[in-house]
Amino acid sequence: MALLRVRHVVFLSLFQVLWILPVVYAQSSISSNATRHSEEYCAMYDICGKRSDGKVLNCPFGSPSVKPSDLLSSKIQSLCPTITGNVCCTAAQFDTLRASVQQAIPFLVGCPACLRNFLNLFCELTCSPNQSLFINVTSVNKVNNNMTVGGIDFYITDAFGEGLYDSCKDVKFGTMNSRAMEFIGAGAQNFKEWFTFIGRQAAPNLPGSPYAIRFRSNATDSSEMVPMNVSTYSCGDSSLGCSCGDCPLSTVCSNTAAPVSPKKVSCAVKIGSIKAKCIDLAVAILYIVLLSVFFGWGLFHRTRKQSPASKTKPLWNNVVDDGEVQSISREKNPPMQVLEDPVHMRSGVQLSIVQGYMSKFYRGYGKWVARNPITVLGSSSAIVLLLCLGLIRFKVETRPEKLWVGPGSKAAEEKQFFDNHLAPFYRIEQLIIATMPDVKHGKAPSIVTEDNIKLLFEIQKKVDGIKANYSGSMVSLSDICMKPLDQDCASQSVIQYFKLDPENYDNYGGIEHLTYCFEHYSSADECMSAYKAPLDPSTALGGFSGKNYSEASAFLITYPVINAINKEGNETERAVAWEKAFIELAKGELLQMVQSKNLTLSFSSESSIEEELKRESTADAITILISYLVMFAYISLTLGDSPRLSSFYISSKVLLGLSGVVLVMLSVLGSVGFFSAIGVKSTLIIMEVIPFLVLAVGVDNMCILVHAVKRQPLTLPLEVRISNALVEVGPSITLASLSEVLVFAVGSFIPMPACRVFSMFAALAVLLDFLLQVTAFVALIVLDFRRTEDKRVDCFPCMKISSYSNSDKGTEERKRGLLARYMKEIHAPILSLWIVKIVVISIFVAFSLASIALCTRIQPGLEQKIVLPQDSYLQGYFNNISEYLRIGPPLYFVVKNFNYSSESRHTNQLCSISQCDSESLLNEIARASLIPESSYVAKPAASWLDDFLVWISPEAFGCCRKFTNATYCPPDDQPPCCSSSDGSCSLGGVCKDCTTCFRHSDLHNGRPSTTQFNEKLPWFLEALPSSDCAKGGHGAYTSSVELKGYESGIIQASSFRTYHTPLNKQVDYVNSMRATRELCSRISDSLKIEVFPYSVFYMFFEQYLDIWKTALMSLSIAIGAVFIVCLVITCSLWSSGIILLVLAMIVVDLMGVMAILDIQLNAVSVVNLVMAVGISVEFCVHMTHAFSVSTGDRDQRIKEALATMGASVFSGITLTKLVGVIVLCFSRTEIFVVYYFQMYLALVLLGFLHGLVFLPVVLSMFGPPSRCVLREQQQDRPSVPSQQ
């Protein structure tokens, strides 16, 4: 979106200057038929006629130079100090010279040396007493029976030409962010090209010289010609010094180091022919060290276990080494409680105080729920349904600035300051028309053809004809467009070179006129746009290299529309209404028109992205729904017993599974309802992510609870089985759920709104889910088991089957399921093999360390194409923007509290003309533009301050003028000096008595006083640019200065505009923002003036400046929260440390997968990483808890933990998520495929591998001692109830 922001603030056409300057030369060259060439002799004198277009023609007659009157002499001296004594010009000729050069003065007055050299060229041409020595009339014409000059040779030394060009070539013209040479020399690369441009004879009614001027440097001895060689001034001359920006050789720049593009330093080590990054080498060395230590420890441990001494160790040592069952004689740990087996009193579990109280609570609570299931189910459901009432106020936030920008955001504050004090950035509506690449060569042909230009006129007519209905009134483009000079829309299109009038196409010369304007857009009056400003072809064309505009393969048509601070006001809604009509027109008529010409069309409006995001929310609704339905079906089936045809309709638990899923959905709706009730808007991320998250957590808890009840002996009453099951798994479910709630609760402190709101909603949803699991779902389990015992059919509990016989009836416990048997009899024995343990540890550690190295390759950003539906019309638009755009977004350097008073140095610290500081703001920006590859600044900044100082300068005598009553007097070519009705302008009209605002003596070192600045600044900002004074500030700088309260000597806000280089990738946007902020920070510290950069995309990309900090902080807090909760509840640093290790490895490995799949780091991926911590808790906590309360050595305990908890975790999370995630790969929106399918799939697989492969191996080798305590020896059977 930010790529569209190519702003062209209208500046008055200064190109007339160059064309009028040649006129000056022609007007002043009065040739003579005489062949005398000597000192004090004229080649041309007086004016003998006019062309049909009014351009004056000099007399071609030689004559001796004449002594001017005192008045004329003083006038000549004021403009041409090198000419003294006799002259070769009349008063009329001098007035013509003065009127003509005044148009060029505003371009050059900032560099006095350049201006002096430039004036000397034309002063010598017009008035030099030795004119005949270097002027030779080569042809004459007859006009109204008078002989007039038809062409001349102007002999000038190369030294003068080079000196003139060198002094002027770097002078800036700030209004257009370009060099003055573009305007006064058509971009000449040397003095010969400049002279060629100046001497070209203009066709009738076109700007330029009325006769041909051929500049020559060599004269034959026989010709008696002596080339003009007036001394030139260097721009570095101390007496006429220019600023660093206008003259890098200036003396003030001698102590300023030339800008050097900083090289990106990346640590690398070269080993032979292989070059490796330092991080890669460090990780490899660390892995080798860890692997060596691990193998050494393993070898030592195995050798020690096999030694005879170890076989005679007492029981205490066995416990410490192998984690076997502890003796009751062992001293009790004070913070522990012993929970006895209520059935056989064989063993007890030594729990922490917290776990002990939990177990006692769950034992009594379980019996109460089993006795009152309806009460528990009704009350818990009623509370959640009450929360769901808040959905009445449900709203979705789709505004990007509200999703990704925090209220304390620096970029948001800067945008608000810019909008409130200057002007909101305009809205952009754009069309891109391009040719199709050639099939054989793959190169797109030029789009600049007659048919295509006429197509643009037809499209413009269609766009102008759009009438959008807003509240009963019709809105057209002219009602909402940006009008810099308050008349015509500033639309950017190549047909502006024809004034948007199709009749002008043939009148101006068709394609040849376009080609001419591409080269002279800044200097040709006939190339001026309809809104009276030059149009840079790079803003209206695309797909060209260098300045080969005729090779362009795309037209860029841009319509800037006025924006409003209040996004919900009438002005914005009017614009949105027109934009919708504009998009409909583009999709329909315009697309057909363009395709019929074998061209492509892409388009966008300011509101397009927001509208397409809204459409995206429904684009994949069916895909998500199918994903959920598949998970629901699987959950319903997995809770039941092993399917047997004879009893399936009784033993299945489809209704229980569906009820559990409903509870999960109720927890999500309750969370959304609660926050909606208090005014917090939801987001698309919440609706897409949280249901998956809560399903993963909730289904796992459902599986664990149901399987725990199934493991209880059937001989026990149902309420005892429910009570024992809750005692067995309640603490681990509580531990896991509280950890997850805390993980998301701390995420609510993240400044990014999307992440913060997600964390808030997720925390409450997981909490409600947990509460519903231990209340309503336990009650549903009781009802379902009662149904089974009553032989009632699943899903149809009213139907009772009398012939059903339970084959398990009378047995102590149910037969283990297939998955549980696999875990205990196949999976666990394989993991207990020593070689398998070594391989598992080696592989997992290697991948984690490799992931650490890979993490450094993750790029910040979020490609806009990924966010949008694949069938969105914006997909093609973004592709074309990257391919065709040749200029970047506008960039503003905003200055706060500019003190323009005489006592302050702020003026010289900011400006870049003569006498400004070498390290001023504008000079630093100009230096930065010399290294665009690192600064991302494309051009020097347009400076209202420079132009204002030039505008009030006495040298710019056509600009700041006043009537005798001290009111503002406009230039001579503007009303009332020039009649707007008939276009007649004369030097003797109402403005004949106007004088310059100041004399040199009125200014102090060329700077105005506080009062003068205060008085003339409003004049400048209201002054219209014109040929006589191109520096008028109206239009170009109307919104660059805030005049509110400026009378105090402080301008609260002002801006200096330039452009970024083309930004094609997300990383370019991030780096450009970082570079300009660093530049402003350095300048602010140096000048002690507050300066900040602003571009319209900064607010959306600021998050990526600190996205790594946000991600690492969020993950650290989340993992740390889990560790603290585990430590508090278990009182085991050992167990908590292992959980912490595995969680960290899962997250690091997931980030490694992101790097491999080229998934960018952004708010969506950060949310997924935080969610990964929450889901990973389920893989770790239950297994660790089951291991800690199992009996036997470590291998036996891990086998039992896998048999009990492994099956539940695998079926509850892994398989459930897999079947749901796989469906997402069919999504039409790439963001689902990348950030949900790929990342979720990676998360599920990594969680499964770490939770059911790596964690069991770690526990079997380094696990904490068992908490089971021997009470008495019995031979009857192994203990079950206290295991997990």
Side-chain angles (χ1 to χ4, degrees):
M1 179 170 56
L3 291 171
L4 315 181
R5 312 290 185 172
V6 182
R7 183 175 189 178
H8 310 299
V9 177
V10 177
F11 314 112
L12 183 54
S13 166
L14 307 170
F15 325 151
Q16 294 181 4
V17 172
L18 303 182
W19 314 58
I20 296 173
L21 293 179
V23 177
V24 176
Y25 321 150
Q27 290 170 349
S28 48
S29 8
I30 306 173
S31 180
S32 152
N33 290 329
T35 57
R36 179 179 173 182
H37 300 287
S38 63
E39 294 183 358
E40 298 295 330
Y41 201 83
C42 305
M44 305 178 294
Y45 188 79
D46 209 349
I47 297 174
C48 288
K50 292 183 179 181
R51 296 198 323 178
S52 59
D53 57 4
K55 290 184 173 67
V56 296
L57 297 170
N58 295 332
C59 302
F61 309 119
S63 65
S65 59
V66 299
K67 181 179 177 62
S69 65
D70 291 342
L71 176 61
L72 178 59
S73 178
S74 63
K75 286 183 177 181
I76 293 175
Q77 280 287 298
S78 66
L79 189 67
C80 309
T82 60
I83 297 178
T84 58
N86 292 346
V87 296
C88 283
C89 60
T90 63
Q93 283 181 286
F94 178 78
D95 288 340
T96 301
L97 167 66
R98 187 177 185 275
S100 300
V101 296
Q102 81 174 36
Q103 299 168 358
I105 287 175
F107 294 90
L108 307 175
V109 71
C111 182
C114 168
L115 178 61
R116 183 73 273 144
N117 294 333
F118 185 79
L119 291 177
N120 283 346
L121 173 68
F122 301 114
C123 287
E124 294 294 324
L125 169 65
T126 307
C127 296
S128 172
N130 303 317
Q131 188 187 70
S132 64
L133 288 177
F134 47 82
I135 297 293
N136 185 41
V137 177
T138 57
S139 66
V140 295
N141 297 322
K142 192 171 184 179
V143 178
N144 295 328
N145 296 321
N146 290 329
M147 301 302 293
T148 62
V149 172
I152 65 171
D153 284 345
F154 190 175
Y155 290 85
I156 298 180
T157 62
D158 288 347
F160 180 88
E162 290 174 354
L164 169 63
Y165 180 79
D166 289 343
S167 67
C168 296
K169 64 181 180 181
D170 293 316
V171 176
K172 301 188 305 296
F173 179 55
T175 309
M176 284 295 293
N177 298 94
S178 60
R179 304 294 178 186
M181 190 57 66
E182 297 288 338
F183 299 85
I184 63 173
Q189 299 299 311
N190 52 60
F191 78 91
K192 292 183 179 180
E193 291 183 7
W194 192 5
F195 284 169
T196 300
F197 170 76
I198 290 174
R200 186 180 300 136
Q201 183 177 12
N205 297 310
L206 292 179
S209 173
Y211 50 80
I213 305 175
R214 182 170 58 173
F215 289 88
R216 307 181 67 173
S217 58
N218 298 319
T220 61
D221 294 337
S222 60
S223 67
E224 300 180 346
M225 303 299 293
V226 179
M228 191 271 287
N229 191 25
V230 176
S231 298
T232 57
Y233 295 90
S234 167
C235 63
D237 188 284
S238 58
S239 61
L240 295 172
C242 304
S243 68
C244 293
D246 289 336
C247 178
L249 299 178
S250 177
T251 54
V252 297
C253 306
S254 59
N255 297 325
T256 305
V260 178
S261 178
K263 296 182 178 179
K264 293 183 178 180
V265 180
S266 58
C267 181
V269 178
K270 196 169 184 179
I271 306 173
S273 60
I274 302 175
K275 188 176 182 180
K277 289 186 176 181
C278 293
I279 182 68
D280 299 342
L281 183 62
V283 165
I285 294 173
L286 179 60
Y287 178 68
I288 293 172
V289 171
L290 290 176
L291 201 61
S292 301
V293 171
F294 175 68
F295 275 111
W297 174 85
L299 183 62
F300 170 76
H301 184 70
R302 297 290 293 177
T303 305
R304 186 163 173 262
K305 280 195 70 174
Q306 293 172 2
S307 65
S310 65
K311 297 179 181 179
T312 60
K313 288 191 297 184
L315 178 61
W316 167 248
N317 289 335
N318 285 332
V319 170
V320 174
D321 286 345
D322 297 326
E324 293 180 351
V325 181
Q326 300 179 36
S327 171
I328 189 62
S329 62
R330 179 180 168 188
E331 182 181 353
K332 273 190 171 183
N333 195 345
M336 299 292 179
Q337 293 184 1
V338 176
L339 180 68
E340 296 181 347
D341 187 324
V343 185
H344 298 281
M345 295 296 183
R346 173 185 178 272
S347 64
V349 180
Q350 192 177 34
L351 302 175
S352 68
I353 292 179
V354 177
Q355 287 177 310
Y357 282 120
M358 281 185 185
S359 297
K360 289 181 180 178
F361 167 77
Y362 279 121
R363 184 178 302 283
Y365 171 75
K367 292 180 179 179
W368 181 77
V369 173
R371 295 173 187 147
N372 306 281
I374 301 298
T375 302
V376 173
L377 179 61
S379 57
S380 57
S381 300
I383 293 174
V384 177
L385 289 173
L386 185 63
L387 292 176
C388 292
L389 292 177
L391 292 172
I392 297 173
R393 300 185 59 188
F394 174 76
K395 291 182 180 179
V396 178
E397 183 62 81
T398 57
R399 289 175 294 177
E401 65 270 19
K402 297 296 183 180
L403 290 175
W404 315 120
V405 185
S409 162
K410 182 180 178 182
E413 293 175 355
E414 291 170 348
K415 179 184 183 301
Q416 185 177 12
F417 180 88
F418 188 90
D419 290 351
N420 292 335
H421 291 270
L422 298 172
F425 197 82
Y426 49 80
R427 305 172 71 88
I428 288 291
E429 334 296 342
Q430 195 166 52
L431 301 170
I432 301 178
I433 303 172
T435 55
M436 294 185 180
D438 182 78
V439 178
K440 183 178 294 186
H441 303 95
K443 183 180 180 181
S446 172
I447 197 170
V448 185
T449 65
E450 181 174 348
D451 287 344
N452 293 337
I453 296 298
K454 291 182 177 179
L455 174 65
L456 288 185
F457 282 116
E458 294 177 22
I459 290 175
Q460 184 64 42
K461 184 177 180 181
K462 294 285 186 183
V463 173
D464 288 338
I466 295 176
K467 302 292 183 182
N469 188 346
Y470 171 71
S471 298
S473 62
M474 306 309 291
V475 181
S476 65
L477 177 61
S478 61
D479 297 326
I480 59 174
C481 69
M482 189 178 72
K483 300 175 181 177
L485 297 183
D486 307 321
Q487 292 179 348
D488 297 287
C489 295
S491 57
Q492 309 292 298
S493 173
V494 292
I495 58 176
Q496 284 283 9
Y497 295 128
F498 302 102
K499 308 290 190 293
L500 298 182
D501 187 350
E503 293 184 0
N504 288 337
Y505 179 79
D506 293 323
N507 296 338
Y508 285 8
I511 296 298
E512 291 183 2
H513 175 72
L514 270 185
T515 305
Y516 177 79
C517 289
F518 291 160
E519 297 180 5
H520 305 94
Y521 70 93
S522 58
S523 55
D525 184 55
E526 68 268 30
C527 296
M528 193 77 68
S529 66
Y531 57 94
K532 307 294 190 300
L535 175 69
D536 189 338
S538 63
T539 64
L541 295 170
F544 57 87
S545 58
K547 292 190 176 182
N548 299 320
Y549 301 119
S550 296
E551 298 178 1
S553 58
F555 288 139
L556 308 179
I557 308 167
T558 308
Y559 302 102
V561 170
I562 296 174
N563 212 342
I565 297 177
N566 181 11
K567 298 299 181 182
E568 298 179 358
N570 291 340
E571 288 300 320
T572 300
E573 291 179 1
R574 277 160 49 89
V576 170
W578 186 89
E579 287 165 358
K580 289 180 179 179
F582 171 73
I583 294 299
E584 289 303 315
L585 176 69
K587 287 180 177 180
E589 291 186 58
L590 299 189
L591 187 59
Q592 292 178 4
M593 290 169 58
V594 170
Q595 290 178 344
S596 66
K597 301 289 186 180
N598 200 30
L599 302 173
T600 64
L601 173 67
S602 58
F603 46 90
S604 171
S605 70
E606 183 74 14
S607 56
S608 288
I609 290 183
E610 187 171 342
E611 293 297 323
E612 288 296 282
L613 287 177
K614 291 178 181 178
R615 189 172 71 87
E616 179 214 2
S617 62
T618 59
D620 287 296
I622 296 178
T623 304
I624 297 173
L625 181 61
I626 293 174
S627 176
Y628 287 154
L629 290 176
V630 171
M631 286 190 289
F632 296 164
Y634 171 78
I635 294 164
S636 301
L637 294 175
T638 194
L639 293 180
D641 295 331
S642 301
R644 283 179 291 187
L645 188 60
S646 60
S647 60
F648 177 73
Y649 50 88
I650 298 294
S651 62
S652 69
K653 302 201 178 295
V654 173
L655 185 59
L656 178 62
L658 288 175
S659 302
V661 170
V662 170
L663 293 179
V664 170
M665 291 297 101
L666 281 176
S667 65
V668 175
L669 294 176
S671 175
V672 175
F674 172 78
F675 285 109
S676 297
I678 62 175
V680 180
K681 291 184 178 181
S682 183
T683 67
L684 294 177
I685 291 181
I686 289 173
M687 295 188 291
E688 293 159 357
V689 177
I690 289 185
F692 274 84
L693 167 66
V694 181
L695 269 175
V697 175
V699 171
D700 186 41
N701 289 342
M702 287 191 291
C703 290
I704 290 172
L705 284 168
V706 173
H707 293 167
V709 176
K710 287 182 180 180
R711 287 196 296 270
Q712 304 304 316
L714 293 175
T715 55
L716 297 176
L718 179 58
E719 64 180 48
V720 176
R721 279 182 277 158
I722 296 295
S723 175
N724 290 350
L726 283 177
V727 170
E728 179 183 336
V729 300
S732 67
I733 288 178
T734 304
L735 173 59
S737 298
L738 290 181
S739 299
E740 291 153 0
V741 171
L742 190 57
V743 163
F744 296 115
V746 296
S748 62
F749 296 101
I750 299 173
M752 191 184 302
C755 294
R756 183 177 68 250
V757 174
F758 165 80
S759 298
M760 292 163 52
F761 278 70
L764 183 57
V766 172
L767 178 61
L768 291 176
D769 182 55
F770 163 69
L771 295 175
L772 286 175
Q773 297 296 327
V774 296
T775 55
F777 189 70
V778 173
L780 288 171
I781 292 175
V782 173
L783 296 175
D784 187 75
F785 273 77
R786 286 182 180 178
R787 174 195 61 77
T788 304
E789 292 174 357
D790 289 344
K791 303 176 184 180
R792 297 184 182 275
V793 178
D794 190 21
C795 297
F796 302 98
C798 295
M799 296 177 60
K800 187 173 183 179
I801 307 299
S802 58
S803 60
Y804 169 74
S805 62
N806 189 351
S807 59
D808 290 333
K809 189 79 175 175
T811 61
E812 283 196 341
E813 61 177 306
R814 298 173 188 265
K815 185 179 180 181
R816 290 183 185 271
L818 181 63
L819 191 55
R821 293 201 303 274
Y822 161 78
M823 285 288 177
K824 185 170 185 177
E825 298 170 9
I826 300 177
H827 190 76
I830 292 176
L831 293 182
S832 65
L833 297 176
W834 185 252
I835 185 65
V836 173
K837 293 180 180 181
I838 293 176
V839 171
V840 168
I841 294 292
S842 302
I843 292 176
F844 276 78
V845 172
F847 189 73
S848 293
L849 292 177
S851 295
I852 293 175
L854 288 171
C855 286
T856 61
R857 293 166 170 79
I858 299 177
Q859 295 290 340
L862 177 62
E863 294 292 344
Q864 296 179 81
K865 295 185 294 183
I866 291 180
V867 180
L868 300 167
Q870 293 178 354
D871 61 348
S872 171
Y873 62 86
L874 290 177
Q875 294 286 358
Y877 174 76
F878 286 125
N879 290 333
N880 288 345
I881 281 293
S882 303
E883 182 177 357
Y884 298 123
L885 211 61
R886 294 296 183 266
I887 193 167
L891 167 63
Y892 299 86
F893 289 88
V894 183
V895 177
K896 287 185 175 182
N897 300 321
F898 164 36
N899 186 345
Y900 63 80
S901 64
S902 304
E903 296 77 18
S904 172
R905 294 195 63 256
H906 280 191
T907 299
N908 286 340
Q909 287 179 315
L910 296 179
C911 66
S912 62
I913 59 174
S914 178
Q915 301 183 20
C916 297
D917 292 354
S918 61
E919 296 183 354
S920 67
L921 168 65
L922 290 163
N923 280 331
E924 289 295 331
I925 296 172
R927 291 192 192 95
S929 68
L930 300 178
I931 47 173
E933 63 278 359
S934 61
S935 69
Y936 295 90
V937 178
K939 300 179 179 181
S943 170
W944 68 267
L945 181 58
D946 284 356
D947 285 355
F948 171 64
L949 295 177
V950 168
W951 186 79
I952 64 172
S953 171
E955 284 89 352
F957 45 79
C959 293
C960 185
R961 308 196 305 169
K962 59 184 178 181
F963 288 110
T964 53
N965 62 358
T967 58
Y968 173 63
C969 175
D972 285 328
D973 60 351
Q974 294 182 26
C977 305
C978 184
S979 174
S980 58
S981 58
D982 57 12
S984 61
C985 301
S986 65
L987 300 178
V990 296
C991 300
K992 62 183 178 61
D993 295 326
C994 288
T995 58
T996 58
C997 293
F998 304 111
R999 293 170 296 181
H1000 284 286
S1001 59
D1002 296 331
L1003 303 176
H1004 180 66
N1005 293 328
R1007 301 291 181 261
S1009 66
T1010 305
T1011 303
Q1012 292 168 340
F1013 200 112
N1014 188 319
E1015 179 184 346
K1016 297 303 183 287
L1017 182 59
W1019 287 17
F1020 167 71
L1021 295 177
E1022 290 297 325
L1024 293 171
S1026 65
S1027 297
D1028 281 0
C1029 181
K1031 291 288 184 177
H1034 187 72
Y1037 301 120
T1038 302
S1039 59
S1040 295
V1041 186
E1042 183 186 32
L1043 292 181
K1044 181 180 179 181
Y1046 87 106
E1047 298 87 353
S1048 63
I1050 303 291
I1051 295 176
Q1052 296 182 25
S1054 62
S1055 66
F1056 302 91
R1057 183 199 62 259
T1058 181
Y1059 295 94
H1060 276 299
T1061 53
L1063 308 175
N1064 297 321
K1065 300 178 181 178
Q1066 295 283 294
V1067 68
D1068 293 336
Y1069 286 93
V1070 179
N1071 290 339
S1072 65
M1073 183 178 183
R1074 181 180 288 111
T1076 52
R1077 280 194 169 181
E1078 290 174 355
L1079 173 64
C1080 284
S1081 176
R1082 178 167 55 82
I1083 293 174
S1084 296
D1085 293 341
S1086 172
L1087 303 181
K1088 308 302 180 187
I1089 301 175
E1090 188 174 357
V1091 182
F1092 68 84
Y1094 171 74
S1095 191
V1096 70
F1097 69 87
Y1098 281 4
M1099 187 172 68
F1100 305 106
F1101 283 85
E1102 185 187 37
Q1103 56 178 303
Y1104 301 121
L1105 294 178
D1106 299 316
I1107 193 69
W1108 272 107
K1109 178 181 177 182
T1110 300
L1112 295 177
M1113 180 180 68
S1114 304
L1115 294 173
S1116 299
I1117 293 175
I1119 296 175
V1122 174
F1123 175 77
I1124 292 173
V1125 171
C1126 292
L1127 186 62
V1128 169
I1129 292 180
T1130 65
C1131 293
S1132 172
L1133 187 61
W1134 200 331
S1135 299
S1136 303
I1138 290 176
I1139 292 173
L1140 176 69
L1141 171 67
V1142 177
L1143 285 179
M1145 288 180 68
I1146 292 176
V1147 173
V1148 168
D1149 290 354
L1150 184 56
M1151 296 180 74
V1153 172
M1154 286 176 59
I1156 294 172
L1157 298 178
D1158 199 24
I1159 298 176
Q1160 295 173 307
L1161 189 66
N1162 48 57
V1164 180
S1165 51
V1166 169
V1167 166
N1168 285 347
L1169 288 171
V1170 174
M1171 186 188 72
V1173 176
I1175 292 181
S1176 299
V1177 167
E1178 296 288 329
F1179 286 103
C1180 303
V1181 168
H1182 300 304
M1183 282 295 302
T1184 305
H1185 179 74
F1187 175 82
S1188 67
V1189 297
S1190 299
T1191 58
D1193 62 19
R1194 287 193 176 102
D1195 285 335
Q1196 292 172 336
R1197 291 161 59 199
I1198 202 62
K1199 183 183 296 186
E1200 194 64 28
L1202 282 170
T1204 54
M1205 277 298 170
S1208 299
V1209 170
F1210 184 73
S1211 60
I1213 297 185
T1214 309
L1215 294 181
T1216 305
K1217 297 305 294 178
L1218 275 178
V1219 297
V1221 166
I1222 289 174
V1223 178
L1224 291 180
C1225 71
F1226 301 104
S1227 171
R1228 290 189 297 161
T1229 305
E1230 197 171 354
I1231 192 171
F1232 278 93
V1233 177
V1234 174
Y1235 290 95
Y1236 298 140
F1237 170 66
Q1238 293 181 0
M1239 284 195 73
Y1240 281 16
L1241 184 62
L1243 169 60
V1244 172
L1245 294 179
L1246 288 172
F1248 160 72
L1249 292 172
H1250 282 80
L1252 298 180
V1253 177
F1254 179 71
L1255 179 59
V1257 170
V1258 171
L1259 290 174
S1260 68
M1261 299 179 69
F1262 311 105
S1266 173
R1267 289 190 170 181
C1268 280
V1269 182
L1270 292 179
R1271 305 294 296 175
E1272 59 180 273
Q1273 294 295 330
Q1274 292 185 5
Q1275 303 296 325
D1276 50 354
R1277 63 173 181 83
S1279 175
V1280 173
S1282 296
Q1283 299 174 9
Q1284 187 176 358

